[in-house]
Amino acid sequence: MKFFVDTADVAEIRELNELGLLDGVTTNPSLILKSGRRIAEVTREICDIVAGPVSAEVAATDYSGMMKEARTLAMIADNICIKVPLTLDGLKACRAIRAEGRMVNVTLCFSANQALLAAKAGASFISPFIGRIDDAGSDGIELISEIRTIYDNYDFKTEILAASIRTVNHVKQAALIGADVATVPPATLKALVRHPLTDKGLEQFLADWAKSGQTIG
Ligand code: G3P
């Protein structure tokens, strides 16, 4: 399973990349707003840090507007993945951007049929929003499972990118079902390493080692 980080915070991205945890980055208009920076500038900086796909989202909602913005975003770096919304114009733009040789992440997916349409439009990634589905009283992980089955039935190559992840349990469940990628907020990504018994065990080993009076090397 690949890990992307869901943020436009360059300091967090740099730290996670240096830890070797990152296969890519996803951003969206809300995350760009939160960064307080211009989209072109911050996205270029992220692309310089991370070698894998960096999703940058269009803001236009009509086909020609999306294509114009996609071409502008694509000029930022070779590893830009254009993010388009799951609408009819977004799917049309997906086909066209793919035909121009760019990666596309189709975002705001809330149903299996939407994911089927995105795969048929040649999307590189489909982004089902697990957390927002849970918030609305349904089961986000169940959607990932449905999409996995459909994509496997027809051998679609579109990668399932589990998005809107809120908990470490979401990451585990998405991995168990076979999501190809999880895009995870920085704090949740770091929290994956934690276990109280790891801390307790390490504490005990260090105490015993100190008592032994030994050193290594
Ligand atoms: O980037 C899309 C997605 O991960 C958004 O997550 O937490 O705003 O629902 P959230």
Side-chain angles (χ1 to χ4, degrees):
M1 183 191 225
K2 291 176 218 165
F3 282 158
F4 290 180
V5 67
D6 199 25
T7 187
D9 182 325
V10 171
E12 294 274 23
I13 291 168
R14 203 181 296 281
E15 183 193 350
L16 290 162
N17 191 57
E18 281 167 9
L19 288 167
L21 291 178
L22 289 193
D23 298 299
V25 177
T26 51
T27 66
N28 61 38
S30 306
L31 293 169
I32 295 294
L33 173 70
K34 200 171 160 196
S35 77
R37 299 183 58 188
R38 306 287 302 171
I39 185 170
E41 178 203 72
V42 73
T43 307
R44 183 168 296 112
E45 203 174 326
I46 295 169
C47 289
D48 283 345
I49 299 169
V50 179
V54 174
S55 289
E57 190 160 341
V58 297
T61 53
D62 64 300
Y63 170 73
S64 358
M66 283 187 217
M67 290 307 294
K68 188 166 171 281
E69 291 182 358
R71 288 176 185 132
T72 302
L73 292 170
M75 281 192 296
I76 294 175
D78 285 345
N79 56 332
I80 284 285
C81 173
I82 307 295
K83 211 170 175 187
V84 299
L86 218 157
T87 59
L88 289 174
D89 278 37
L91 292 170
K92 185 177 172 187
C94 174
R95 276 182 200 286
I97 299 163
R98 292 291 290 139
E100 291 182 5
R102 308 299 308 204
M103 293 180 282
V104 177
N105 176 355
V106 179
T107 190
L108 290 165
C109 172
F110 295 93
S111 82
N113 282 333
Q114 288 181 322
L116 177 55
L117 287 171
K120 286 176 69 67
S124 318
F125 301 98
I126 181 68
S127 289
F129 277 30
I130 300 178
R132 292 193 196 184
I133 291 172
D134 287 0
D135 292 345
S138 298
D139 186 347
I141 291 294
E142 176 61 28
L143 175 59
I144 301 280
S145 168
E146 289 174 356
I147 299 171
R148 181 75 282 154
T149 301
I150 291 169
Y151 283 9
D152 289 348
N153 283 348
Y154 298 97
D155 201 23
F156 284 121
K157 300 298 176 213
T158 300
E159 293 188 54
I160 303 174
L161 196 172
S164 185
I165 280 182
R166 305 273 163 77
T167 65
V168 291
N169 209 33
H170 274 155
V171 177
K172 181 180 83 174
Q173 291 174 301
L176 282 170
I177 285 163
D180 301 286
V181 192
T183 188
V184 188
T188 312
L189 200 46
K190 286 185 211 160
L192 293 177
V193 79
R194 282 192 222 126
H195 195 288
L197 292 180
T198 303
D199 297 340
K200 198 177 161 199
L202 184 59
E203 205 179 304
Q204 181 69 57
F205 286 155
L206 292 178
D208 289 345
W209 187 245
K211 281 186 214 155
S212 81
Q214 299 183 49
T215 53
I216 299 172

